[in-house]
Amino acid sequence: EVCEALVKPATLESQSTLCEVIRNDVDPQGVPRCSPATVFVSHAWSYRFLDLVSTLRCYAKRQEEAEGEPPYFYIDIFALNQHRLQEAHQAETAA
């Protein structure tokens, strides 16, 4: 699972969101890797995450060609603190 294999290890030290961790990162062309979302993404976890990434890459390429700017996607596992979500869920189930 992407959350356990990528997001949680990358955010373990800061106990924050992945977006907060990469907030000031830029790609080799100087484009920010994280910015306010322009597209909300909803997906089913029963599908492969790589299929989602492939679809979003195609969409982003077409969108950037048409608009001149890259889209920024809201994807919950990157935008929400996964460490605190687990704590909140545990508190709810214990109550």
Side-chain angles (χ1 to χ4, degrees), residues 11-28:
T11 59
L12 184 60
E13 185 177 325
S14 66
Q15 293 288 300
S16 63
T17 70
L18 188 60
C19 289
E20 290 169 330
V21 169
I22 66 167
R23 178 160 308 211
N24 297 318
D25 288 1
V26 295
D27 72 9

Side-chain angles (χ1 to χ4, degrees), residues 22-68:
I22 66 167
R23 178 160 308 211
N24 297 318
D25 288 1
V26 295
D27 72 9
Q29 290 77 35
V31 177
R33 295 190 189 276
C34 188
S35 191
T38 57
V39 179
F40 178 84
V41 176
S42 180
H43 60 96
W45 285 111
S46 59
Y47 293 99
R48 292 178 350 127
F49 190 76
L50 290 178
D51 291 340
L52 173 68
V53 171
S54 177
T55 300
L56 294 179
R57 281 185 174 167
C58 289
Y59 175 83
K61 182 179 179 184
R62 283 186 273 137
Q63 190 70 13
E64 189 166 0
E65 288 170 355
E67 302 290 327

